[in-house]
Amino acid sequence: MRNLDTTTLRSFVAVADCGGVTRAAGMLHLTQSAVSMQIKRLEELLGLSLFDRNNRRVTLTASGEQLLGYARRILELNDEAVGRLTEQTFEGELVLGVPNDIVYPVIPRVLKSFNTAFPRVSVNLRSSSTVRLLEGLKKGELDLILTTEEDVGPGGETLCEMQLRWTGAVDGTAWKKRPLRLAFCKYCIFRPLVLRKLEAAGIDWELAVDSDDDRAVEALTSADLAVGAYLVDSIPPHLEPVTAGAALPDLGVQKVNLYTRSGRDEVLEELANMLRKGYGAVRPVASVNAA
């Protein structure tokens, strides 16, 4: 009888999620050699190759893909059992604020893990613009927020960076027209940045929509009546990045920042730590293709 070890499975899942040993090691707080050794031990136990190492980016083999589902279930059950048997009794509610465009894929995984560790603590998720989330935190309406900003403000910390891209309809041509028609929500944090970039590049523009509704913005953009700007990992499937070369100015990167309310709170800090680990696994802009 061969028994799967949860430590090796945790390293396996981390490498699969992060796309490489280097980033997985950082997320697990282990050395690269330790993670590599655990993957090797798991492959030797099963007598299978779990990763295709011929590409620059580490990818799963067919056997690795099959094991991944089992590994997640084993780890979830392990963590649930440990959490339920060793938990201190924490009760209450936390309010977490997150911009719409960075909810997926990290937030659902974090909330699931947090619920396993603290089943009696309810997390109320509020999705809104960065501007409104910062206001809500200042007023005491939120316990913890994530933001997307060019820089980080007082009391905040940067978890990762994401590329901001011009985005339009699939095979669209709206980006070629002048004045350039733009689709942004009224409180979108990217809107002032985009306007500054266009002014500096001498490109005429006009706003095609002035709305608080993200759906209206997406509808106008997908109809090829305007262009917008999205973080590269959050572009909706019915839109695509504009491959306009030098026709439009580069929008650079946005920081994903974390802010928490003042005061010591063990449960709040644990949720913050889970968010740090979750967004710490996001591929850095400068090394998207690194293994």
Side-chain angles (χ1 to χ4, degrees), residues 2 39-50 63:
R2 291 174 289 180
I39 298 300
K40 181 180 179 182
R41 188 179 303 129
L42 183 60
E43 289 180 323
E44 290 176 347
L45 172 69
L46 296 172
L48 297 169
S49 293
L50 301 175
S63 297

Side-chain angles (χ1 to χ4, degrees), residues 153-203:
E157 62 177 290
T158 298
L159 304 185
C160 68
E161 292 184 343
M162 295 184 182
Q163 185 76 43
L164 184 62
R165 294 288 303 274
W166 290 101
T167 307
V170 177
D171 297 324
T173 59
W175 61 269
K176 298 180 180 179
K177 300 174 182 177
R178 298 295 182 272
L180 183 68
R181 303 195 78 214
L182 303 175
F184 287 97
C185 283
K186 186 180 298 183
Y187 298 101
C188 178
I189 195 71
F190 305 145
R191 180 167 156 176
L193 166 66
V194 168
L195 298 185
R196 290 201 309 271
K197 294 279 187 177
L198 291 174
E199 294 288 353
I203 297 176

